[in-house]
Structure formats: structure tokens, C-alpha cells
Amino acid sequence: MKYRMWKLYTSKLGLEVCANVLMANGLSGMIFDDPEDVVDLLNKKHDYEWDYVDDSVRELAKEEPAITIYFDHTEEGQADMEKAMACVEAIKEQLEDPDSTWAKLDLGRLEMEISVADDEDWKDKWKEYFKPAHITERIVVKPSWEEYERQSDEELIIEIDPG
């Protein structure tokens, strides 16, 4: 199934402000890309919190905050996407009004990006974050779709899939 992926680039504060406006207008199912969440993940407090972080996840800490909503390729989905776009235009008008309480808020660039996404594209996307992991010097756990060559005759490989 195809979807329209609508993405709004904003600021940390803009995530909250824009999400509130979108929800007040009946829009939901948002995905928040907040680079501070990645920073919190990377600054783990305990060794057991995670054992592997892919480099692509580390790069997310450098990304701009954004809100993403997927809309169906239907008339209703189109109407909801237009509603989201109208919400952003209303926010921009509030920011430009010198008498508005929003005039001094930094909500980022508030630029929208629309693309087409197919659920086949993300059906298996989660798999890229699961890699072989050394549990001990001898034990390696790996998902079935990942290749791994034994490093020594002593090494034990456990193949198990997450979930």
C-alpha cells in the first residue's frame, strides 16, 4: 500500500507547539524525530542498557527535529494532509504577527516535505539495527538474516531472531 509521507522540519520547541496545533485539528499518529532522544540513548547510565548502536543511529543525533505523518492515498488522506499544511501556515502567520504571543518563539524553519512511501519499504527496515553481538569472548548471538563467520573453533554462535 502506498502512503504520502508528510514531514515538518522544526525546532525542539516546535515539536511540542506544532504537535499541539496538529492534534487540536484532529490529526494524530505522528512520529517525532528528536535528536536529543538519540543523545540520551548514547549517554547511557548503565552498561546493560544497550550492547550495540549502529553508526546510522549515532548520525541521527545531528538531524533536525521533525514531525512525520503518513497519510493514506485516499481522498480522506489528501484532506488530512491539506489540513496539516494549513495548520503550519497558521502557525507561520502567528509567528509573523508582532502582536502575537508567538512572535518570539523559535520554531525552526517550519518547512514541509512530501514524498510517497510504500509499506514494502519499511516492512523489514527494523532488521538493519540487529547485528551479531559478542555476549562473551566465546558466545555470539546473531539474527538469521545476518552473515557471520566464526572467528575461532572455540566460538559458539547462537542464531535467534528478535521478537
Side-chain angles (χ1 to χ4, degrees), residues 52-86:
Y52 174 80
V53 177
D54 190 80
D55 288 338
S56 64
V57 174
R58 293 178 195 281
E59 289 299 311
L60 295 175
K62 302 172 188 172
E63 296 288 319
E64 182 177 9
I67 298 172
T68 303
I69 305 176
Y70 289 90
F71 296 102
D72 293 336
H73 254 292
T74 61
E75 286 183 27
E76 183 181 347
Q78 179 66 32
D80 284 344
M81 188 172 66
E82 289 171 5
K83 189 188 302 183
M85 294 166 69

PDB file of all heavy atoms in Angstrom, residues 52-86:
ATOM      1  N   TYR A  52      24.825  -2.586  21.514  1.00  0.00           N
ATOM      2  CA  TYR A  52      25.264  -2.219  20.171  1.00  0.00           C
ATOM      3  C   TYR A  52      24.423  -1.052  19.671  1.00  0.00           C
ATOM      4  O   TYR A  52      23.203  -1.049  19.830  1.00  0.00           O
ATOM      5  CB  TYR A  52      25.088  -3.410  19.217  1.00  0.00           C
ATOM      6  CG  TYR A  52      25.396  -3.060  17.783  1.00  0.00           C
ATOM      7  CD1 TYR A  52      26.705  -3.011  17.336  1.00  0.00           C
ATOM      8  CD2 TYR A  52      24.389  -2.740  16.891  1.00  0.00           C
ATOM      9  CE1 TYR A  52      27.009  -2.663  16.035  1.00  0.00           C
ATOM     10  CE2 TYR A  52      24.674  -2.391  15.584  1.00  0.00           C
ATOM     11  CZ  TYR A  52      25.983  -2.354  15.159  1.00  0.00           C
ATOM     12  OH  TYR A  52      26.275  -2.001  13.875  1.00  0.00           O
ATOM     13  N   VAL A  53      25.081  -0.055  19.126  1.00  0.00           N
ATOM     14  CA  VAL A  53      24.381   1.064  18.488  1.00  0.00           C
ATOM     15  C   VAL A  53      25.007   1.250  17.114  1.00  0.00           C
ATOM     16  O   VAL A  53      26.208   1.505  16.990  1.00  0.00           O
ATOM     17  CB  VAL A  53      24.503   2.375  19.315  1.00  0.00           C
ATOM     18  CG1 VAL A  53      23.835   3.512  18.585  1.00  0.00           C
ATOM     19  CG2 VAL A  53      23.897   2.193  20.698  1.00  0.00           C
ATOM     20  N   ASP A  54      24.195   1.091  16.088  1.00  0.00           N
ATOM     21  CA  ASP A  54      24.671   1.232  14.713  1.00  0.00           C
ATOM     22  C   ASP A  54      25.100   2.682  14.470  1.00  0.00           C
ATOM     23  O   ASP A  54      24.516   3.619  15.033  1.00  0.00           O
ATOM     24  CB  ASP A  54      23.536   0.851  13.758  1.00  0.00           C
ATOM     25  CG  ASP A  54      24.015   0.737  12.336  1.00  0.00           C
ATOM     26  OD1 ASP A  54      24.587  -0.312  12.004  1.00  0.00           O
ATOM     27  OD2 ASP A  54      23.821   1.695  11.566  1.00  0.00           O
ATOM     28  N   ASP A  55      26.114   2.866  13.626  1.00  0.00           N
ATOM     29  CA  ASP A  55      26.605   4.214  13.326  1.00  0.00           C
ATOM     30  C   ASP A  55      25.512   5.103  12.738  1.00  0.00           C
ATOM     31  O   ASP A  55      25.505   6.311  12.960  1.00  0.00           O
ATOM     32  CB  ASP A  55      27.798   4.158  12.370  1.00  0.00           C
ATOM     33  CG  ASP A  55      29.050   3.628  13.057  1.00  0.00           C
ATOM     34  OD1 ASP A  55      29.116   3.712  14.299  1.00  0.00           O
ATOM     35  OD2 ASP A  55      29.948   3.140  12.349  1.00  0.00           O
ATOM     36  N   SER A  56      24.575   4.519  11.993  1.00  0.00           N
ATOM     37  CA  SER A  56      23.487   5.321  11.419  1.00  0.00           C
ATOM     38  C   SER A  56      22.611   5.928  12.515  1.00  0.00           C
ATOM     39  O   SER A  56      22.060   7.023  12.346  1.00  0.00           O
ATOM     40  CB  SER A  56      22.640   4.492  10.450  1.00  0.00           C
ATOM     41  OG  SER A  56      21.990   3.442  11.135  1.00  0.00           O
ATOM     42  N   VAL A  57      22.498   5.243  13.656  1.00  0.00           N
ATOM     43  CA  VAL A  57      21.734   5.792  14.777  1.00  0.00           C
ATOM     44  C   VAL A  57      22.487   6.978  15.378  1.00  0.00           C
ATOM     45  O   VAL A  57      21.890   7.999  15.706  1.00  0.00           O
ATOM     46  CB  VAL A  57      21.461   4.710  15.844  1.00  0.00           C
ATOM     47  CG1 VAL A  57      20.802   5.302  17.080  1.00  0.00           C
ATOM     48  CG2 VAL A  57      20.604   3.598  15.265  1.00  0.00           C
ATOM     49  N   ARG A  58      23.801   6.867  15.479  1.00  0.00           N
ATOM     50  CA  ARG A  58      24.607   7.980  16.004  1.00  0.00           C
ATOM     51  C   ARG A  58      24.442   9.231  15.138  1.00  0.00           C
ATOM     52  O   ARG A  58      24.421  10.347  15.642  1.00  0.00           O
ATOM     53  CB  ARG A  58      26.081   7.590  16.066  1.00  0.00           C
ATOM     54  CG  ARG A  58      26.385   6.518  17.077  1.00  0.00           C
ATOM     55  CD  ARG A  58      27.870   6.147  17.043  1.00  0.00           C
ATOM     56  NE  ARG A  58      28.126   4.920  17.736  1.00  0.00           N
ATOM     57  CZ  ARG A  58      28.210   4.809  19.056  1.00  0.00           C
ATOM     58  NH1 ARG A  58      28.065   5.870  19.812  1.00  0.00           N
ATOM     59  NH2 ARG A  58      28.434   3.634  19.615  1.00  0.00           N
ATOM     60  N   GLU A  59      24.315   9.035  13.842  1.00  0.00           N
ATOM     61  CA  GLU A  59      24.149  10.163  12.916  1.00  0.00           C
ATOM     62  C   GLU A  59      22.827  10.896  13.151  1.00  0.00           C
ATOM     63  O   GLU A  59      22.707  12.080  12.855  1.00  0.00           O
ATOM     64  CB  GLU A  59      24.235   9.690  11.460  1.00  0.00           C
ATOM     65  CG  GLU A  59      25.637   9.276  11.051  1.00  0.00           C
ATOM     66  CD  GLU A  59      26.637  10.411  11.151  1.00  0.00           C
ATOM     67  OE1 GLU A  59      26.365  11.514  10.651  1.00  0.00           O
ATOM     68  OE2 GLU A  59      27.714  10.199  11.749  1.00  0.00           O
ATOM     69  N   LEU A  60      21.829  10.194  13.685  1.00  0.00           N
ATOM     70  CA  LEU A  60      20.527  10.816  13.944  1.00  0.00           C
ATOM     71  C   LEU A  60      20.625  11.944  14.969  1.00  0.00           C
ATOM     72  O   LEU A  60      19.782  12.834  14.992  1.00  0.00           O
ATOM     73  CB  LEU A  60      19.513   9.769  14.413  1.00  0.00           C
ATOM     74  CG  LEU A  60      19.135   8.705  13.407  1.00  0.00           C
ATOM     75  CD1 LEU A  60      18.226   7.656  14.048  1.00  0.00           C
ATOM     76  CD2 LEU A  60      18.483   9.309  12.176  1.00  0.00           C
ATOM     77  N   ALA A  61      21.659  11.920  15.803  1.00  0.00           N
ATOM     78  CA  ALA A  61      21.854  12.976  16.797  1.00  0.00           C
ATOM     79  C   ALA A  61      22.150  14.318  16.136  1.00  0.00           C
ATOM     80  O   ALA A  61      22.001  15.365  16.757  1.00  0.00           O
ATOM     81  CB  ALA A  61      22.976  12.603  17.760  1.00  0.00           C
ATOM     82  N   LYS A  62      22.554  14.291  14.866  1.00  0.00           N
ATOM     83  CA  LYS A  62      22.883  15.517  14.138  1.00  0.00           C
ATOM     84  C   LYS A  62      21.711  16.033  13.299  1.00  0.00           C
ATOM     85  O   LYS A  62      21.811  17.080  12.686  1.00  0.00           O
ATOM     86  CB  LYS A  62      24.078  15.271  13.214  1.00  0.00           C
ATOM     87  CG  LYS A  62      25.319  14.800  13.935  1.00  0.00           C
ATOM     88  CD  LYS A  62      26.390  14.407  12.950  1.00  0.00           C
ATOM     89  CE  LYS A  62      27.576  13.751  13.655  1.00  0.00           C
ATOM     90  NZ  LYS A  62      28.525  13.200  12.693  1.00  0.00           N
ATOM     91  N   GLU A  63      20.620  15.276  13.265  1.00  0.00           N
ATOM     92  CA  GLU A  63      19.474  15.631  12.430  1.00  0.00           C
ATOM     93  C   GLU A  63      18.672  16.780  13.045  1.00  0.00           C
ATOM     94  O   GLU A  63      18.734  17.042  14.234  1.00  0.00           O
ATOM     95  CB  GLU A  63      18.555  14.418  12.244  1.00  0.00           C
ATOM     96  CG  GLU A  63      19.183  13.269  11.508  1.00  0.00           C
ATOM     97  CD  GLU A  63      19.370  13.533  10.031  1.00  0.00           C
ATOM     98  OE1 GLU A  63      18.474  14.118   9.411  1.00  0.00           O
ATOM     99  OE2 GLU A  63      20.425  13.134   9.504  1.00  0.00           O
ATOM    100  N   GLU A  64      17.896  17.412  12.202  1.00  0.00           N
ATOM    101  CA  GLU A  64      16.996  18.485  12.618  1.00  0.00           C
ATOM    102  C   GLU A  64      15.711  17.859  13.178  1.00  0.00           C
ATOM    103  O   GLU A  64      15.209  16.878  12.626  1.00  0.00           O
ATOM    104  CB  GLU A  64      16.690  19.315  11.373  1.00  0.00           C
ATOM    105  CG  GLU A  64      15.814  20.494  11.571  1.00  0.00           C
ATOM    106  CD  GLU A  64      15.647  21.287  10.272  1.00  0.00           C
ATOM    107  OE1 GLU A  64      16.074  20.825   9.203  1.00  0.00           O
ATOM    108  OE2 GLU A  64      15.075  22.373  10.354  1.00  0.00           O
ATOM    109  N   PRO A  65      15.158  18.408  14.265  1.00  0.00           N
ATOM    110  CA  PRO A  65      13.893  17.872  14.777  1.00  0.00           C
ATOM    111  C   PRO A  65      12.806  17.935  13.701  1.00  0.00           C
ATOM    112  O   PRO A  65      12.761  18.874  12.908  1.00  0.00           O
ATOM    113  CB  PRO A  65      13.551  18.802  15.943  1.00  0.00           C
ATOM    114  CG  PRO A  65      14.857  19.393  16.364  1.00  0.00           C
ATOM    115  CD  PRO A  65      15.656  19.505  15.095  1.00  0.00           C
ATOM    116  N   ALA A  66      11.944  16.921  13.701  1.00  0.00           N
ATOM    117  CA  ALA A  66      10.889  16.873  12.687  1.00  0.00           C
ATOM    118  C   ALA A  66       9.701  16.062  13.185  1.00  0.00           C
ATOM    119  O   ALA A  66       9.833  15.222  14.077  1.00  0.00           O
ATOM    120  CB  ALA A  66      11.423  16.269  11.392  1.00  0.00           C
ATOM    121  N   ILE A  67       8.552  16.344  12.582  1.00  0.00           N
ATOM    122  CA  ILE A  67       7.327  15.583  12.822  1.00  0.00           C
ATOM    123  C   ILE A  67       6.948  14.939  11.490  1.00  0.00           C
ATOM    124  O   ILE A  67       6.918  15.610  10.461  1.00  0.00           O
ATOM    125  CB  ILE A  67       6.178  16.491  13.300  1.00  0.00           C
ATOM    126  CG1 ILE A  67       6.536  17.151  14.633  1.00  0.00           C
ATOM    127  CG2 ILE A  67       4.871  15.697  13.414  1.00  0.00           C
ATOM    128  CD1 ILE A  67       5.538  18.209  15.089  1.00  0.00           C
ATOM    129  N   THR A  68       6.661  13.643  11.521  1.00  0.00           N
ATOM    130  CA  THR A  68       6.255  12.927  10.309  1.00  0.00           C
ATOM    131  C   THR A  68       4.876  12.324  10.524  1.00  0.00           C
ATOM    132  O   THR A  68       4.598  11.767  11.590  1.00  0.00           O
ATOM    133  CB  THR A  68       7.257  11.796   9.977  1.00  0.00           C
ATOM    134  OG1 THR A  68       8.565  12.357   9.850  1.00  0.00           O
ATOM    135  CG2 THR A  68       6.879  11.085   8.691  1.00  0.00           C
ATOM    136  N   ILE A  69       4.038  12.445   9.499  1.00  0.00           N
ATOM    137  CA  ILE A  69       2.724  11.792   9.498  1.00  0.00           C
ATOM    138  C   ILE A  69       2.571  11.085   8.157  1.00  0.00           C
ATOM    139  O   ILE A  69       2.900  11.644   7.117  1.00  0.00           O
ATOM    140  CB  ILE A  69       1.565  12.797   9.681  1.00  0.00           C
ATOM    141  CG1 ILE A  69       1.739  13.637  10.946  1.00  0.00           C
ATOM    142  CG2 ILE A  69       0.224  12.054   9.719  1.00  0.00           C
ATOM    143  CD1 ILE A  69       0.675  14.717  11.134  1.00  0.00           C
ATOM    144  N   TYR A  70       2.065   9.862   8.189  1.00  0.00           N
ATOM    145  CA  TYR A  70       1.773   9.112   6.975  1.00  0.00           C
ATOM    146  C   TYR A  70       0.280   9.221   6.686  1.00  0.00           C
ATOM    147  O   TYR A  70      -0.549   8.929   7.556  1.00  0.00           O
ATOM    148  CB  TYR A  70       2.178   7.645   7.128  1.00  0.00           C
ATOM    149  CG  TYR A  70       3.665   7.454   7.150  1.00  0.00           C
ATOM    150  CD1 TYR A  70       4.384   7.492   8.334  1.00  0.00           C
ATOM    151  CD2 TYR A  70       4.363   7.253   5.964  1.00  0.00           C
ATOM    152  CE1 TYR A  70       5.755   7.338   8.349  1.00  0.00           C
ATOM    153  CE2 TYR A  70       5.734   7.091   5.967  1.00  0.00           C
ATOM    154  CZ  TYR A  70       6.422   7.132   7.166  1.00  0.00           C
ATOM    155  OH  TYR A  70       7.787   6.975   7.166  1.00  0.00           O
ATOM    156  N   PHE A  71      -0.047   9.641   5.473  1.00  0.00           N
ATOM    157  CA  PHE A  71      -1.439   9.771   5.052  1.00  0.00           C
ATOM    158  C   PHE A  71      -1.736   8.744   3.967  1.00  0.00           C
ATOM    159  O   PHE A  71      -0.939   8.548   3.051  1.00  0.00           O
ATOM    160  CB  PHE A  71      -1.707  11.185   4.508  1.00  0.00           C
ATOM    161  CG  PHE A  71      -1.545  12.261   5.529  1.00  0.00           C
ATOM    162  CD1 PHE A  71      -0.390  13.049   5.555  1.00  0.00           C
ATOM    163  CD2 PHE A  71      -2.519  12.503   6.475  1.00  0.00           C
ATOM    164  CE1 PHE A  71      -0.238  14.050   6.494  1.00  0.00           C
ATOM    165  CE2 PHE A  71      -2.373  13.506   7.421  1.00  0.00           C
ATOM    166  CZ  PHE A  71      -1.228  14.281   7.429  1.00  0.00           C
ATOM    167  N   ASP A  72      -2.916   8.117   4.067  1.00  0.00           N
ATOM    168  CA  ASP A  72      -3.353   7.170   3.038  1.00  0.00           C
ATOM    169  C   ASP A  72      -3.484   7.875   1.695  1.00  0.00           C
ATOM    170  O   ASP A  72      -3.765   9.069   1.632  1.00  0.00           O
ATOM    171  CB  ASP A  72      -4.724   6.581   3.386  1.00  0.00           C
ATOM    172  CG  ASP A  72      -4.689   5.699   4.618  1.00  0.00           C
ATOM    173  OD1 ASP A  72      -3.610   5.176   4.943  1.00  0.00           O
ATOM    174  OD2 ASP A  72      -5.750   5.544   5.245  1.00  0.00           O
ATOM    175  N   HIS A  73      -3.349   7.099   0.636  1.00  0.00           N
ATOM    176  CA  HIS A  73      -3.574   7.615  -0.722  1.00  0.00           C
ATOM    177  C   HIS A  73      -5.077   7.544  -1.022  1.00  0.00           C
ATOM    178  O   HIS A  73      -5.525   6.791  -1.883  1.00  0.00           O
ATOM    179  CB  HIS A  73      -2.783   6.788  -1.742  1.00  0.00           C
ATOM    180  CG  HIS A  73      -1.590   7.486  -2.286  1.00  0.00           C
ATOM    181  ND1 HIS A  73      -1.673   8.578  -3.110  1.00  0.00           N
ATOM    182  CD2 HIS A  73      -0.278   7.250  -2.107  1.00  0.00           C
ATOM    183  CE1 HIS A  73      -0.456   8.975  -3.437  1.00  0.00           C
ATOM    184  NE2 HIS A  73       0.408   8.184  -2.823  1.00  0.00           N
ATOM    185  N   THR A  74      -5.851   8.292  -0.252  1.00  0.00           N
ATOM    186  CA  THR A  74      -7.298   8.357  -0.428  1.00  0.00           C
ATOM    187  C   THR A  74      -7.709   9.821  -0.380  1.00  0.00           C
ATOM    188  O   THR A  74      -6.899  10.698  -0.046  1.00  0.00           O
ATOM    189  CB  THR A  74      -8.031   7.605   0.695  1.00  0.00           C
ATOM    190  OG1 THR A  74      -7.704   8.234   1.958  1.00  0.00           O
ATOM    191  CG2 THR A  74      -7.638   6.135   0.747  1.00  0.00           C
ATOM    192  N   GLU A  75      -8.981  10.085  -0.697  1.00  0.00           N
ATOM    193  CA  GLU A  75      -9.473  11.471  -0.603  1.00  0.00           C
ATOM    194  C   GLU A  75      -9.394  11.962   0.833  1.00  0.00           C
ATOM    195  O   GLU A  75      -9.031  13.114   1.088  1.00  0.00           O
ATOM    196  CB  GLU A  75     -10.908  11.554  -1.125  1.00  0.00           C
ATOM    197  CG  GLU A  75     -11.010  11.463  -2.629  1.00  0.00           C
ATOM    198  CD  GLU A  75     -12.442  11.623  -3.121  1.00  0.00           C
ATOM    199  OE1 GLU A  75     -13.256  12.282  -2.437  1.00  0.00           O
ATOM    200  OE2 GLU A  75     -12.721  11.087  -4.200  1.00  0.00           O
ATOM    201  N   GLU A  76      -9.725  11.083   1.779  1.00  0.00           N
ATOM    202  CA  GLU A  76      -9.660  11.464   3.199  1.00  0.00           C
ATOM    203  C   GLU A  76      -8.214  11.756   3.612  1.00  0.00           C
ATOM    204  O   GLU A  76      -7.944  12.728   4.325  1.00  0.00           O
ATOM    205  CB  GLU A  76     -10.237  10.344   4.062  1.00  0.00           C
ATOM    206  CG  GLU A  76     -10.268  10.675   5.542  1.00  0.00           C
ATOM    207  CD  GLU A  76     -10.831   9.540   6.378  1.00  0.00           C
ATOM    208  OE1 GLU A  76     -11.430   8.598   5.838  1.00  0.00           O
ATOM    209  OE2 GLU A  76     -10.645   9.612   7.610  1.00  0.00           O
ATOM    210  N   GLY A  77      -7.287  10.934   3.146  1.00  0.00           N
ATOM    211  CA  GLY A  77      -5.872  11.161   3.440  1.00  0.00           C
ATOM    212  C   GLY A  77      -5.385  12.472   2.855  1.00  0.00           C
ATOM    213  O   GLY A  77      -4.626  13.212   3.492  1.00  0.00           O
ATOM    214  N   GLN A  78      -5.819  12.767   1.637  1.00  0.00           N
ATOM    215  CA  GLN A  78      -5.454  14.033   0.988  1.00  0.00           C
ATOM    216  C   GLN A  78      -6.006  15.212   1.780  1.00  0.00           C
ATOM    217  O   GLN A  78      -5.320  16.207   2.000  1.00  0.00           O
ATOM    218  CB  GLN A  78      -5.971  14.065  -0.455  1.00  0.00           C
ATOM    219  CG  GLN A  78      -5.659  15.340  -1.201  1.00  0.00           C
ATOM    220  CD  GLN A  78      -4.171  15.567  -1.447  1.00  0.00           C
ATOM    221  OE1 GLN A  78      -3.417  14.621  -1.605  1.00  0.00           O
ATOM    222  NE2 GLN A  78      -3.765  16.820  -1.479  1.00  0.00           N
ATOM    223  N   ALA A  79      -7.255  15.106   2.227  1.00  0.00           N
ATOM    224  CA  ALA A  79      -7.879  16.188   3.010  1.00  0.00           C
ATOM    225  C   ALA A  79      -7.134  16.398   4.323  1.00  0.00           C
ATOM    226  O   ALA A  79      -6.909  17.547   4.745  1.00  0.00           O
ATOM    227  CB  ALA A  79      -9.344  15.862   3.268  1.00  0.00           C
ATOM    228  N   ASP A  80      -6.731  15.300   4.973  1.00  0.00           N
ATOM    229  CA  ASP A  80      -5.984  15.423   6.236  1.00  0.00           C
ATOM    230  C   ASP A  80      -4.612  16.057   6.003  1.00  0.00           C
ATOM    231  O   ASP A  80      -4.155  16.868   6.814  1.00  0.00           O
ATOM    232  CB  ASP A  80      -5.825  14.053   6.900  1.00  0.00           C
ATOM    233  CG  ASP A  80      -7.096  13.577   7.581  1.00  0.00           C
ATOM    234  OD1 ASP A  80      -8.007  14.403   7.801  1.00  0.00           O
ATOM    235  OD2 ASP A  80      -7.183  12.371   7.894  1.00  0.00           O
ATOM    236  N   MET A  81      -3.960  15.697   4.904  1.00  0.00           N
ATOM    237  CA  MET A  81      -2.655  16.294   4.611  1.00  0.00           C
ATOM    238  C   MET A  81      -2.802  17.792   4.353  1.00  0.00           C
ATOM    239  O   MET A  81      -1.989  18.587   4.822  1.00  0.00           O
ATOM    240  CB  MET A  81      -1.997  15.609   3.417  1.00  0.00           C
ATOM    241  CG  MET A  81      -0.561  16.078   3.200  1.00  0.00           C
ATOM    242  SD  MET A  81       0.322  15.133   1.964  1.00  0.00           S
ATOM    243  CE  MET A  81      -0.604  15.564   0.508  1.00  0.00           C
ATOM    244  N   GLU A  82      -3.837  18.182   3.638  1.00  0.00           N
ATOM    245  CA  GLU A  82      -4.087  19.606   3.399  1.00  0.00           C
ATOM    246  C   GLU A  82      -4.385  20.334   4.703  1.00  0.00           C
ATOM    247  O   GLU A  82      -3.979  21.475   4.893  1.00  0.00           O
ATOM    248  CB  GLU A  82      -5.223  19.775   2.390  1.00  0.00           C
ATOM    249  CG  GLU A  82      -4.805  19.361   0.984  1.00  0.00           C
ATOM    250  CD  GLU A  82      -5.947  19.312  -0.010  1.00  0.00           C
ATOM    251  OE1 GLU A  82      -7.097  19.699   0.340  1.00  0.00           O
ATOM    252  OE2 GLU A  82      -5.707  18.876  -1.157  1.00  0.00           O
ATOM    253  N   LYS A  83      -5.062  19.653   5.633  1.00  0.00           N
ATOM    254  CA  LYS A  83      -5.330  20.226   6.956  1.00  0.00           C
ATOM    255  C   LYS A  83      -4.010  20.453   7.703  1.00  0.00           C
ATOM    256  O   LYS A  83      -3.809  21.496   8.326  1.00  0.00           O
ATOM    257  CB  LYS A  83      -6.238  19.287   7.754  1.00  0.00           C
ATOM    258  CG  LYS A  83      -6.737  19.877   9.050  1.00  0.00           C
ATOM    259  CD  LYS A  83      -7.484  18.865   9.924  1.00  0.00           C
ATOM    260  CE  LYS A  83      -8.663  18.250   9.243  1.00  0.00           C
ATOM    261  NZ  LYS A  83      -9.400  17.318  10.142  1.00  0.00           N
ATOM    262  N   ALA A  84      -3.090  19.494   7.614  1.00  0.00           N
ATOM    263  CA  ALA A  84      -1.779  19.628   8.264  1.00  0.00           C
ATOM    264  C   ALA A  84      -1.022  20.816   7.679  1.00  0.00           C
ATOM    265  O   ALA A  84      -0.417  21.605   8.412  1.00  0.00           O
ATOM    266  CB  ALA A  84      -0.971  18.339   8.110  1.00  0.00           C
ATOM    267  N   MET A  85      -1.077  20.952   6.366  1.00  0.00           N
ATOM    268  CA  MET A  85      -0.392  22.068   5.712  1.00  0.00           C
ATOM    269  C   MET A  85      -1.006  23.402   6.127  1.00  0.00           C
ATOM    270  O   MET A  85      -0.278  24.374   6.376  1.00  0.00           O
ATOM    271  CB  MET A  85      -0.446  21.878   4.193  1.00  0.00           C
ATOM    272  CG  MET A  85       0.362  20.659   3.745  1.00  0.00           C
ATOM    273  SD  MET A  85       0.034  20.120   2.067  1.00  0.00           S
ATOM    274  CE  MET A  85       0.736  21.454   1.139  1.00  0.00           C
ATOM    275  N   ALA A  86      -2.321  23.448   6.253  1.00  0.00           N
ATOM    276  CA  ALA A  86      -3.000  24.680   6.691  1.00  0.00           C
ATOM    277  C   ALA A  86      -2.619  25.026   8.125  1.00  0.00           C
ATOM    278  O   ALA A  86      -2.454  26.205   8.464  1.00  0.00           O
ATOM    279  CB  ALA A  86      -4.509  24.517   6.551  1.00  0.00           C
TER     280      ALA A  86
END
